[in-house]
Amino acid sequence: MATVAEELERRDALQGIGCSRKRKEDPRFVQGKGNYVDDVKLPGMLFADMVRSPFAHARIKGINKEKALALPGVHAVLTAEDLKPLNLHWMPTLAGDVQAVLADEKVHFQYQEVAVVVADDRYIAADAVDLVEVEYEPLPVLVDAHKAMDPDAPVLREDIADKTEGAHSKRVHHNHIFTWEAGDKDPTDRVFEEAEVTVKQEMYYHRVHPSPLETCGCVASFDKVNEQLTVYITSQAPHVVRTVVSMLSGIPESKVRIISPDIGGGFGNKVGVYPGYVNSIVASIVLGRPVKWIEDRMEHLSTTAFARDYHMTGELAADKDGRIKGLRVHVLADHGAFDACADPSKFPAGLFHICTGSYDVPVAHVQVDGVYTNKAPGGVAYRCSFRVTEAVYVIERTLDVLAQKLDIDKAEIRRRNFVKPEQFPYDTALGWQLDSGDYHTALDKVLKAVDYEGLRREQAEKRAKGELMGIGLVTFTEIVGAGPTRTCDILGVGMFDSAEIRVHPTGSVMARMGTITQGQGHQTTYAQIIASELGIESDKIQIEEGDTDTAPYGLGTYGSRSTPVGGAATAVAARKIRAKAQKIAAHLLEVSEDDLEWDVDRFKVKGVPGQEKTMTEIAWAAYNNVPEGMEPGLEAVDYYDPPNFTYPFGAYLCVVDIDKYTGQTHIRRFYALDDCGTRINPMIIDGQIHGGLNEGFAVAMGQELPYDEEGNSLGNTFMDYFIPTFVETPHWETDYTVTPSPHHPLGAKGVAESPHVGSIPCFTSAIVDAFSHLGVTHMDMPHNAYRVWQKLHELGLDKRD
Amino acid sequence: MAKQHVSFKLNGQQVDVLVEPRELLVHTIREQLGQTGTHIGCDTSHCGVCTVDLNGQSVKSCTVLAVQANGGEVLTVEGLADAEGLHAVQQAFIDEHGLQCGFCTTGMMMRAYRFLQENPDPSEEEIRWGMSGNLCRCTGYQNIIKAVQSAAQKLQQA
Amino acid sequence: MIPGGFEYHAPSSVDDAIRLLSEHEDAKILAGGHSLLPMMKLRFAEPAHLVDINGLSELKGISLDGDTIRIGAMTSENELIASEILQQHCPLIVEVAKLIADPQVRNKGTIGGDIAHGDPGNDHPALMLVLDAEFVIRGPDGERTTPANGFFLGTYWTGLEEGELMTEIRVPVFKAGTGYGYNKLKRKTGDFATAASPVVLSLNGDTCSDIRIALTNAGPMAFRAEEAENLLRGQVIDEALIEQAAQKVMEACEPAEDLRGDIEYKTHMAAEMARRSIRDALARARS
């Protein structure tokens, strides 16, 4: 008779769901045997480098390639003229716009690609870049999004000048991209007119950049003999890249192989198709040799997918007890020179309309106006879950403003407005259905852990002494796991995801998914899911991703979608295998299927001890002894179309002390409670939380990519772009609750972006709170010492008597 | 420019290469000598992913010319493990989940390796300061600190 | 990321190095290389010749010569930190070196390079000013010694002539009871100073018998805040006086605006760093 202890032992041996097992991918990384794109070396490989524009807006009068071509070791110098016959000088973006692959007659942002040189090695290529002579005629520059739709604003996009139908709406101005709305305008406006209290806060979510430590790059290799194209690429979405490349090049998808090998961090920066990739592919096809392109850091920060640049106005209507009656949000979205956002195609503002947050908001309206400027293209990136960073920022900040106006404690006002547990699944006023949540419990747990009341008392004492201490509080709900194919597609391909699992005769497993890890630990976590579903040790389960020749079609990894969608596909595929295994077990044990029950790693005949078959035994039988009419083998595929998104949530609290003479902020404490539903590997979750919090800290406290009036990109090296070191980074405290998702096969929601989404408004909230007794309701990021000092200097707090 | 002959020990083995004077040591290690464990992450000597051990010191190999390594000894991540297995630092990074994407990890471990020889029993604050030349985006540093502490303990017991 | 081409020379004596510098007009000295090589990788500097002085052992070493500490120009920042002579006889140098760059860069960056480069953001020039240091310089016309005071002329402009090489830095030993402090405001570890200020002072009872205050990155080059010094010298220094001195410091600042801050912020921060260094120096002198 199996004891509880014995059953636990068998479960532990699996190292499945819930186990903080060490990662299976680590041994190769710690031995320097990772395989990143720049590690790839193919015979005959050449190196590509880009000639880039020093001007933000200019006409190209002429390009002289002579000197560059004369340099020994240079094989080609290509410009838009060379790409025109192939119709590749422009390419479609994921947001329904087009983007120049090489500048066609004019440049639209500083460092835009103007020509590509291909040479024997990167040293010669760098020399050749200096030798290409480009003559520019500078044009007036537009960098202020607020001026983009002025009547006399410079025309940026001459290529679509007469296009009045945009991809998402009518275009009312040559610099207008789209206007997008969600919710109900008239009822919302009425609520605001009639409300007892209203607040309005303008806030700027500044332009930043995900900056993974590995920059973007690829090795493109066109095999002339077999007419096959192979591209090693830093991509978070290899199958999408394959489809796009096939569409652009005319090479059938079956002859295009995209390989995302090991990727040194993605964070949403490696989703789009960059001109560098297309140029390398063209060069490889033209020259018949592999071509490698690896950008350097300055190119990376200046031209690849930036994040945010949302000018937001948040408004709340409420009663005098702080109960929200309505939400109104307007956004001016600065997309740079091309709308290259990686959003699901129907959502030009991503999932921004999750901005009702964790609160029961009866009516709401959101409007987003997108505009062009002379800056690098993009907007959706950096652990944002498709603009959820912006959405959570606007609701959390505006709610704090309401709390301050009514003199209601910031925790209390949240309690009064939370969606209650019994209201789930909850339909928001902007069209989402929150799957599950327990916001009160999460908040209470955090407040108790930090002794919130004690902190408020301490703050009062410090204020009496003229010291600046702030407490920031954020209770966020975010939306991940894009997404149901009826609403979510990338260039027309529905955002399902997939898993293919095969059990070998001797009981080990090979599985492939359509997602692609960039450090999230998929080789471990997917193995853990399969281990728990199939009763096979996760050590015996091999996970592969990223090679489009072998992996089933998937939409990739970004927006925290791997666990919600890929993880679901994995569980469902595994359950298909277990269903077949049950039939085989019944056949082996000569009972009916209904006589069997599943116990950790084996099927047992109910009520007959000793009559059992382990999955390993069943695996062997699958290849030589299956029931009449059943085909041999033990494998399954699942393409999972999620019924809904998932909605992880959390409560974060931050305590800061500000030096009133320098503006420096010391993060005294950061307490992060996350609820991502079922937790697959707690150790990995904690690692993700630490990382997301650190990136949030960087964004809130120092990162910025400003432009001057000439459109010069400032701060585009690590000299200025704030990447915190060990010394600046605070100690992170993590906690959790578990509220499973009712619609997910495992109840799991995804977690990696929550810490970034939630921490950024939390830091802001803390810093503003340090000044709130002086009437300050908001301060824009980044909260570097310089900017904080400007506020305290303005308030006269640094005066000495 | 004419190439020069440079000779040094790489992970205990003598190597000979021909380099232009401007060739950066990191490129020599990665491309001529095929040891791609050492990575490149920036252009301004900030990130530290290129850290190697040169003549007993942690240096950023992207800011050292290959010619400057002539006659010296270079240790990279490929030389950390020995016949008996992984180095204590490598094992500690696995044990404490001190890595995620792995890109900063090799330079991080090379620095930890040398740091623990400079300071075998460091406090958390000393670890933060001693490792401040290496950036990471994925881990938030917290588990790397635990890894260094774990390695320090193991190395002191040995 | 890739420097332009150049010819590389690794002389084995200081005289050889000087000869090479004279022979080749477009030649630069390669010391630690962590200021020069990054500039060359971005192609902001493209010298035709590099003269690598890392092999010159005569430029290394720290020794005590009576009341003078002699520091070889090629001493690295980490070697400064580890030096027992400096820890005992001029601990301010150790304090400053600890706040420069990061551990790897400190293995390569040298005190001579930091001084000679002429970057107003470098930490050693202001330090040399408050220490009343002397620089030993060798050139085609022989050897000379010059005081730090007056050596820093402007941005990337020092008293070093064409073909000259700094070989040694000489600083007086701290007398007993010397107070000192260094405060550096920076955005993160490894960054240049938003503003920084070294201070050295000595007390006679409660009175300040001498004080030196210098500023880093608060002007086109490092400078001494002489009017602030004059205000404090001979006085019993209290908070009110420190405040007046801070005002004088602000009047002397001409920082360049950049992403670290505008002129107003940097000026205020220069004064704040000076305040804190004066307080630190007083506390040390009194202990």
Side-chain angles (χ1 to χ4, degrees):
Chain A
M1 188 70 165
T3 63
V4 172
E6 185 259 348
E7 189 188 301
L8 263 165
E9 214 185 290
R10 278 189 289 127
R11 201 182 297 279
D12 283 347
L14 295 181
Q15 292 197 91
I17 292 177
C19 174
S20 284
R21 63 151 296 152
K22 294 180 213 188
R23 296 196 332 166
K24 295 159 97 314
E25 47 265 81
D26 286 356
R28 74 169 181 284
F29 288 132
V30 301
Q31 294 177 78
K33 297 297 177 199
N35 189 31
Y36 302 91
V37 169
D38 199 8
D39 299 341
V40 173
K41 197 170 176 175
L42 300 179
M45 189 173 76
L46 301 171
F47 199 87
D49 204 350
M50 310 299 305
V51 176
R52 296 176 179 278
S53 165
F55 296 105
H57 196 205
R59 261 184 231 299
I60 298 174
K61 305 302 284 180
I63 304 178
N64 190 341
K65 312 176 186 182
E66 264 177 52
K67 289 189 183 138
L69 283 168
L71 188 67
V74 172
H75 293 259
V77 178
L78 304 176
T79 64
E81 285 304 308
D82 299 299
L83 298 181
K84 268 188 191 142
L86 307 163
N87 202 26
L88 279 176
H89 51 313
W90 289 87
M91 63 174 171
T93 70
L94 296 179
D97 196 355
V98 288
Q99 175 175 7
V101 174
L102 286 174
D104 181 20
E105 293 170 25
K106 69 183 282 202
V107 294
H108 296 83
F109 63 95
Q110 193 188 41
Y111 294 110
Q112 182 179 353
E113 301 83 357
V114 172
V116 56
V117 309
V118 186
D120 281 339
D121 63 46
R122 63 186 82 201
Y123 282 65
I124 299 171
D127 292 342
V129 164
D130 275 358
L131 293 173
V132 175
E133 292 166 339
V134 186
E135 206 193 315
Y136 298 96
E137 182 192 282
L139 295 168
V141 172
L142 172 67
V143 287
D144 185 349
H146 293 99
K147 300 205 168 95
M149 304 239 270
D150 284 356
D152 57 346
V155 178
L156 304 189
R157 297 292 303 276
E158 288 166 15
D159 59 296
I160 54 167
D162 41 353
K163 233 182 146 197
T164 49
E165 289 292 329
H168 307 285
S169 73
K170 284 209 167 351
R171 294 178 66 224
V172 303
H173 184 281
H174 49 78
N175 289 330
H176 182 220
I177 310 175
F178 64 83
T179 291
W180 180 84
E181 291 179 64
D184 305 294
K185 187 173 191 320
D186 290 337
T188 304
D189 286 346
R190 266 202 304 282
V191 161
F192 272 85
E193 282 157 31
E194 292 162 10
E196 289 182 321
V197 184
T198 63
V199 290
K200 181 173 181 175
Q201 182 65 57
E202 283 181 13
M203 58 190 85
Y204 176 46
Y205 205 137
H206 59 311
R207 176 182 277 241
V208 285
H209 192 285
S211 193
L213 277 184
E214 180 204 31
T215 60
C216 298
C218 69
V219 179
S221 180
F222 184 67
D223 172 352
K224 267 198 166 112
V225 170
N226 291 301
E227 292 182 329
Q228 288 187 296
L229 174 67
T230 302
V231 187
Y232 293 84
I233 183 173
T234 51
S235 175
Q236 297 176 238
H239 290 92
V240 173
V241 171
R242 186 184 73 191
T243 305
V244 168
V245 165
S246 172
M247 281 162 39
L248 287 181
S249 65
I251 304 171
E253 260 191 276
S254 50
K255 292 188 142 203
V256 176
R257 180 182 184 194
I258 305 295
I259 301 171
S260 297
D262 289 318
I263 299 181
F267 315 122
N269 176 249
K270 293 172 173 164
V271 180
V273 174
Y274 293 121
Y277 303 148
V278 178
N279 285 309
S280 307
I281 291 169
V282 170
S284 180
I285 293 172
V286 162
L287 297 171
R289 293 170 67 166
V291 174
K292 174 184 274 192
W293 168 71
I294 307 289
E295 57 172 7
D296 67 29
R297 180 58 58 184
M298 202 183 227
E299 294 174 294
H300 184 69
L301 291 175
S302 307
T303 69
T304 65
F306 74 89
R308 323 287 146 81
D309 221 341
Y310 256 27
H311 302 264
M312 307 190 281
T313 305
E315 296 181 84
L316 281 171
D319 63 24
K320 52 183 168 40
D321 294 320
R323 269 294 287 129
I324 298 170
K325 298 298 173 197
L327 169 72
R328 194 160 58 190
V329 181
H330 178 261
V331 180
L332 176 64
D334 185 339
H335 284 272
F338 309 109
D339 187 357
C341 279
D343 279 316
S345 69
K346 295 182 180 61
F347 299 109
L351 308 178
F352 182 73
H353 44 313
I354 194 63
C355 55
T356 51
S358 309
Y359 314 107
D360 187 6
V361 176
V363 72
H365 181 249
V366 169
Q367 181 178 322
V368 180
D369 298 311
V371 296
Y372 292 121
T373 58
N374 286 121
K375 300 177 189 166
V380 168
Y382 209 169
R383 234 161 167 150
C384 72
S385 307
F386 304 115
R387 300 284 185 189
V388 180
T389 33
E390 292 88 319
V392 168
Y393 192 80
V394 75
I395 182 63
E396 292 300 299
R397 290 273 59 246
T398 313
L399 188 54
D400 271 3
V401 173
L402 179 65
Q404 278 181 235
K405 181 158 186 173
L406 295 172
D407 201 22
I408 297 174
D409 177 84
K410 288 164 182 166
E412 178 58 24
I413 201 167
R414 285 167 164 82
R415 261 191 220 106
R416 292 182 191 176
N417 283 290
F418 278 153
V419 175
K420 302 186 186 56
E422 58 268 24
Q423 288 177 285
F424 289 93
Y426 172 84
D427 290 314
T428 77
L430 294 173
W432 301 113
Q433 184 176 80
L434 308 187
D435 58 1
S436 67
D438 186 354
Y439 304 139
H440 293 88
T441 301
L443 175 60
D444 288 342
K445 200 171 182 211
V446 170
L447 298 182
K448 183 154 178 245
V450 304
D451 183 15
Y452 180 65
E453 283 166 32
L455 286 171
R456 284 289 178 205
R457 276 196 301 275
E458 184 194 345
Q459 183 183 44
E461 284 163 23
K462 286 208 146 82
R463 279 176 172 171
K465 290 191 277 183
E467 289 170 35
L468 296 169
M469 170 187 165
I471 303 165
L473 180 63
V474 158
T475 48
F476 68 90
T477 291
E478 69 146 347
I479 173 174
V480 300
T485 59
R486 67 180 179 280
T487 49
C488 295
D489 67 89
I490 300 276
L491 287 182
V493 180
M495 292 185 74
F496 56 85
D497 226 283
S498 59
E500 175 190 284
I501 306 174
R502 177 172 303 143
V503 183
H504 299 319
T506 47
S508 59
V509 176
M510 162 64 80
R512 298 185 174 109
M513 290 75 184
T515 52
I516 172 73
T517 192
Q518 315 115 42
Q520 296 92 327
H522 291 179
Q523 280 184 256
T524 306
T525 53
Y526 281 140
Q528 290 181 258
I529 293 174
I530 296 172
S532 289
E533 294 289 333
L534 293 186
I536 294 174
E537 291 160 37
S538 55
D539 269 345
K540 292 197 175 128
I541 301 172
Q542 283 304 104
I543 305 294
E544 284 183 2
E545 288 171 309
D547 184 340
T548 61
D549 264 7
T550 50
Y553 202 105
L555 276 292
T557 294
Y558 41 83
S560 295
R561 64 187 301 277
S562 302
T563 296
V565 194
T570 302
V572 173
R575 287 170 195 180
K576 290 180 189 176
I577 289 174
R578 205 166 80 215
K580 180 171 183 177
Q582 185 160 2
K583 290 183 162 61
I584 296 172
H587 164 74
L588 294 174
L589 292 164
E590 295 175 329
V591 296
S592 98
E593 265 189 84
D594 302 322
D595 294 332
L596 294 174
E597 59 189 6
W598 173 254
D599 179 22
V600 179
D601 58 353
R602 61 199 63 196
F603 284 104
K604 294 177 156 171
V605 179
K606 293 175 195 168
V608 185
Q611 283 292 81
E612 55 187 43
K613 286 290 172 196
T614 65
M615 185 58 80
T616 310
E617 291 169 311
I618 295 166
W620 181 255
Y623 288 85
N624 63 63
N625 186 4
V626 295
E628 185 82 37
M630 176 190 279
E631 53 180 70
L634 194 55
E635 64 183 66
V637 176
D638 188 70
Y639 284 79
Y640 186 81
D641 185 356
N644 190 2
F645 294 76
T646 58
Y647 303 83
F649 62 94
Y652 291 175
L653 188 140
C654 176
V655 182
V656 301
D657 300 292
I658 298 180
D659 181 329
K660 65 183 179 184
Y661 299 111
T662 60
Q664 287 173 301
T665 302
H666 173 241
I667 311 291
R668 196 205 296 180
R669 189 166 194 187
F670 198 102
Y671 197 94
L673 184 149
D674 281 276
D675 191 317
C676 60
T678 303
R679 291 154 60 85
I680 297 163
N681 183 322
M683 175 191 82
I684 287 182
I685 290 173
D686 266 356
Q688 290 290 303
I689 303 292
H690 295 161
L693 293 177
N694 196 31
E695 290 188 326
F697 166 69
V699 167
M701 302 306 293
Q703 284 178 347
E704 55 177 345
L705 274 184
Y707 283 80
D708 68 15
E709 276 162 22
E710 316 286 302
N712 291 311
S713 169
L714 307 175
N716 56 3
T717 70
F718 281 173
M719 162 86 81
D720 290 304
Y721 194 67
F722 178 57
I723 309 281
T725 71
F726 279 83
V727 173
E728 293 75 46
T729 301
H731 178 80
W732 310 113
E733 296 172 77
T734 59
D735 196 354
Y736 67 96
T737 55
V738 179
T739 311
S741 169
H743 69 75
H744 187 278
L746 300 168
K749 291 188 177 183
V751 73
E753 288 173 315
S754 291
H756 193 69
V757 165
S759 64
I760 294 168
C762 194
F763 288 113
T764 300
S765 163
I767 286 162
V768 171
D769 188 72
F771 293 98
S772 63
H773 59 306
L774 302 166
V776 175
T777 58
H778 182 68
M779 290 162 66
D780 274 338
M781 304 182 280
H783 305 297
N784 54 38
Y786 169 36
R787 293 169 62 89
V788 174
W789 179 84
Q790 287 179 312
K791 176 60 71 178
L792 50 88
H793 188 65
E794 172 198 312
L795 294 170
L797 297 172
D798 60 338
K799 277 203 182 14
R800 287 184 159 86
D801 322 300
Chain B
M1 300 268 133
K3 294 202 176 182
Q4 285 185 227
H5 172 234
V6 168
S7 178
F8 56 90
K9 268 213 168 107
L10 176 62
N11 298 327
Q13 303 276 56
Q14 199 66 31
V15 295
D16 295 87
V17 286
L18 278 177
V19 300
E20 282 183 271
R22 65 172 172 164
E23 185 164 318
L24 305 174
L25 181 60
V26 68
H27 287 138
T28 308
I29 291 171
R30 286 179 54 79
E31 314 219 338
Q32 291 213 47
L33 298 168
Q35 304 299 297
T36 56
T38 306
H39 302 138
I40 297 171
C42 75
D43 337 314
T44 50
S45 315
H46 284 96
C47 74
V49 306
C50 65
T51 301
V52 300
D53 208 65
L54 173 61
N55 301 331
Q57 294 184 325
S58 301
V59 299
K60 296 181 178 179
S61 62
C62 73
T63 319
V64 173
L65 301 172
V67 291
Q68 292 184 283
N70 195 33
E73 286 195 36
V74 178
L75 185 70
T76 67
V77 64
E78 290 90 346
L80 272 187
D82 61 18
E84 275 147 49
L86 295 179
H87 189 277
V89 167
Q90 291 169 302
Q91 189 58 50
F93 269 72
I94 296 176
D95 292 343
E96 301 296 333
H97 189 36
L99 66 144
Q100 292 180 27
C101 80
F103 201 72
C104 79
T105 307
T106 49
M108 194 70 77
M109 291 187 311
M110 290 316 296
R111 175 58 195 144
Y113 162 83
R114 179 53 59 189
F115 169 67
L116 288 175
Q117 297 192 48
E118 295 163 0
N119 188 346
D121 189 16
S123 66
E124 177 174 331
E125 206 187 312
E126 287 169 338
I127 293 174
R128 285 183 183 270
W129 187 73
M131 303 283 295
S132 58
N134 291 75
L135 302 179
C136 175
R137 300 291 282 142
C138 297
T139 68
Y141 300 112
Q142 202 144 307
N143 286 343
I144 295 179
I145 292 168
K146 283 165 74 176
V148 175
Q149 288 169 329
S150 164
Q153 253 194 341
K154 296 261 161 42
L155 288 168
Q156 289 192 289
Q157 282 161 14
Chain C
M1 180 67 202
I2 312 284
F6 54 84
E7 273 194 51
Y8 172 80
H9 312 270
S12 46
S13 73
V14 173
D15 289 327
D16 271 348
I18 289 163
R19 189 186 35 79
L20 283 164
L21 290 173
S22 307
E23 263 172 34
H24 302 291
E25 218 184 278
D26 187 15
K28 277 223 152 356
I29 295 167
L30 180 64
H34 279 54
S35 297
L36 180 62
L37 286 176
M39 281 170 68
M40 289 173 65
K41 283 160 72 176
L42 293 173
R43 302 211 173 188
F44 291 156
E46 293 187 84
H49 297 266
L50 277 196
V51 180
D52 185 346
I53 58 173
N54 283 278
L56 303 180
S57 52
E58 50 190 303
L59 299 182
K60 298 210 57 97
I62 301 175
S63 62
L64 197 54
D65 186 4
D67 276 340
T68 303
I69 306 170
R70 298 172 65 165
I71 306 170
M74 284 299 288
T75 305
S76 74
E77 305 293 347
N78 275 341
E79 283 165 347
L80 294 175
I81 294 169
S83 161
E84 279 175 25
I85 293 176
L86 291 179
Q87 284 165 21
Q88 224 193 341
H89 297 288
C90 192
L92 182 55
I93 293 181
V94 174
E95 288 270 311
V96 171
K98 280 182 177 165
L99 292 174
I100 294 176
D102 65 50
Q104 286 94 311
V105 177
R106 286 196 290 271
N107 277 329
K108 301 291 278 171
T110 64
I111 183 171
D114 192 276
I115 291 169
H117 190 52
D119 189 332
N122 283 352
D123 300 79
H124 281 293
L127 172 61
M128 295 297 114
L129 290 177
V130 297
L131 293 178
D132 261 339
E134 279 190 328
F135 306 135
V136 180
I137 293 167
R138 224 190 294 175
D141 301 327
E143 187 174 284
R144 63 188 179 93
T145 307
T146 188
N149 217 329
F151 181 79
F152 304 104
L153 301 169
T155 302
Y156 301 120
W157 182 26
T158 69
L160 215 53
E161 302 284 352
E162 282 290 324
E164 284 190 318
L165 183 63
M166 187 177 297
T167 59
E168 192 175 276
I169 291 96
R170 294 181 181 161
V171 296
V173 151
F174 270 7
K175 296 192 184 40
T178 300
Y180 63 92
Y182 188 61
N183 279 271
K184 178 176 179 178
L185 180 66
K186 47 187 167 32
R187 296 175 298 178
K188 63 177 250 195
T189 308
D191 195 16
F192 287 106
T194 300
S197 176
V199 169
V200 175
L201 59 76
S202 35
L203 295 179
N204 194 347
D206 260 346
T207 311
C208 167
S209 49
D210 194 16
I211 183 166
R212 268 163 267 139
I213 305 166
L215 279 313
T216 292
N217 228 3
M221 65 278 185
F223 62 92
R224 290 233 328 241
E226 284 171 9
E227 288 200 32
E229 293 172 357
N230 293 340
L231 206 63
L232 300 174
R233 199 174 288 113
Q235 306 295 325
V236 175
I237 301 177
D238 60 12
E239 272 303 313
L241 212 53
I242 292 176
E243 199 44 46
Q244 287 180 43
Q247 295 302 315
K248 289 289 178 202
V249 166
M250 290 214 283
E251 285 162 26
C253 291
E254 314 168 70
E257 179 167 329
D258 61 21
L259 291 175
R260 294 180 186 85
D262 62 8
I263 291 171
E264 191 194 17
Y265 179 60
K266 288 189 173 190
T267 302
H268 277 82
M269 290 309 101
E272 183 57 26
M273 293 302 107
R275 274 192 204 95
R276 295 184 186 195
S277 293
I278 294 170
R279 287 193 205 112
D280 287 346
L282 278 173
R284 283 200 173 98
R286 286 172 184 153
S287 69

